[in-house]
Amino acid sequence: MSNNSNPALQGLARLNARYDEQAASIVDFNEKQALGEEPDPAHFMHLLEQRSVTQQAMEAQFKLYEKPLKTVMNETK
């Protein structure tokens, strides 16, 4: 099953890319703070909220992908 033909895996790949972008933004925020800048703490909270929502979406998408696999495995026992 290729990643290109499976919508669940495509969704996971998109969410994973978004999660990585959010992680990079958090690292950037921390680097600015370490350099003595004073980035907006509300922006940091927004980044954490976005990352949390993305992680929840990834977990939900994975469960959608996992459920049919469990069903197939149980039916073949």
Side-chain angles (χ1 to χ4, degrees), residues 1-76:
M1 189 179 319
S2 78
N3 189 14
N4 294 334
S5 65
N6 189 312
L9 290 180
Q10 289 173 350
L12 276 173
R14 281 191 305 273
L15 288 168
N16 190 54
R18 184 178 302 159
Y19 191 82
D20 289 345
E21 290 169 8
Q22 292 163 345
S25 294
I26 291 170
V27 168
D28 185 50
F29 181 94
N30 289 332
E31 287 174 352
K32 287 179 181 178
Q33 194 172 33
L35 293 172
E37 295 180 32
E38 295 182 16
D40 182 13
H43 178 64
F44 183 72
M45 291 304 296
H46 178 69
L47 290 172
L48 291 178
E49 289 171 2
Q50 282 182 328
R51 190 164 119 174
S52 177
V53 168
T54 301
Q55 184 173 359
Q56 290 171 358
M58 287 174 70
E59 290 170 2
Q61 188 72 40
F62 181 74
K63 286 178 183 177
L64 288 173
Y65 176 68
E66 182 182 44
K67 187 172 181 167
L69 291 177
K70 283 184 178 180
T71 302
V72 168
M73 292 176 75
N74 287 335
E75 289 177 356
T76 58

